[in-house]
Amino acid sequence: MFTYIIDDEIKLKLLDPSDASALFALTDQARPYLRQWLPWVDGTKTIHDTEQYIEGTMKGFANRQSLTTAIFYQGKLVGVAGFNVLDWTNNIAYIGYWLGESYQGKGIMTRVVRALTTYAINDLEINRVEVRAATQNHKSRAIPEKLGFHHEGNIRQAEKLYDHYVDHAVYSVLAEEWPLT
């Protein structure tokens, strides 16, 4: 079981079936907020949907294709972050994340993305870490910007969100650019 302690307040833990109830409750309470930026919210209607999602993330981890973790802040599940894709051919990790609305503004996600980037580069020997976010999602974009990722440009209509498309801003950092600590 993968667990990664970031500091005395935050830990990452591989999602498993025991997280389904808390994850579904967090998703359900933040539904209107999350729906602005995440295309899967309407498809998560029941705890069974969350259980199936977790099962898929566990298979991705077992196959070394992804790593999806629950973010625990002060012992409570507050969001999800990880490597949506681990591209071993090109040594690229694609980070994705979301946080319950009431937990934002505490620096949680910045610490999580810093830790995931460090883990990818130092432990997994990944060469490139990439983050993509909708161009209008300023909170999500602020995280790679704070951490010194390079804004490489935008991809037009990169994602369909229900009834419209959004452009994505692409950020990356290379192993040679990342601090070792």
Side-chain angles (χ1 to χ4, degrees):
M1 174 70 67
F2 178 87
T3 302
Y4 193 91
I5 307 293
I6 295 175
D7 56 34
D8 60 346
E9 291 186 311
I10 302 171
K11 111 177 156 175
L12 304 177
K13 181 185 79 66
L14 186 69
L15 278 169
D16 69 49
S18 69
D19 299 314
S21 180
L23 182 58
F24 179 74
L26 181 65
T27 301
D28 204 38
Q29 81 180 50
R31 193 173 293 278
Y33 174 75
L34 294 174
R35 193 176 189 280
Q36 295 175 71
W37 306 115
L38 300 170
W40 50 262
V41 176
D42 286 0
T44 305
K45 297 179 175 116
T46 67
I47 194 166
H48 179 68
D49 297 325
T50 300
E51 290 167 343
Q52 287 185 311
Y53 166 72
I54 290 171
E55 184 179 318
T57 67
M58 292 174 68
K59 285 179 183 172
F61 178 71
N63 294 330
R64 294 193 49 166
Q65 297 171 332
S66 61
L67 170 64
T68 306
T69 67
I71 303 167
F72 285 87
Y73 174 71
Q74 298 178 347
K76 184 172 182 175
L77 195 154
V78 299
V80 173
F83 308 121
N84 292 339
V85 175
L86 287 166
D87 174 350
W88 295 106
T89 301
N90 298 299
N91 286 329
I92 303 171
Y94 297 88
I95 295 180
Y97 47 83
W98 66 270
L99 195 60
E101 188 174 13
S102 61
Y103 300 100
Q104 295 182 11
K106 302 175 187 307
I108 296 169
M109 198 57 78
T110 301
R111 289 183 273 172
V112 166
V113 173
R114 179 184 294 117
L116 284 171
T117 302
T118 298
Y119 178 76
I121 291 170
N122 292 350
D123 295 288
L124 300 180
E125 298 181 356
I126 290 291
N127 181 59
R128 174 185 166 92
V129 177
E130 187 173 305
V131 173
R132 294 183 182 198
T135 56
Q136 296 302 310
N137 188 344
H138 301 292
K139 289 181 181 179
S140 191
R141 290 184 64 182
I143 293 160
E145 290 171 0
K146 282 181 203 169
L147 294 173
F149 280 56
H150 296 273
H151 179 221
E152 295 187 342
N154 297 335
I155 302 172
R156 298 180 311 148
Q157 296 188 359
E159 183 176 34
K160 186 175 183 184
L161 288 178
Y162 310 101
D163 61 349
H164 66 286
Y165 292 91
V166 296
D167 297 348
H168 277 186
V170 178
Y171 295 90
S172 73
V173 68
L174 303 178
E176 64 195 36
E177 300 165 338
W178 190 251
L180 297 176
T181 58

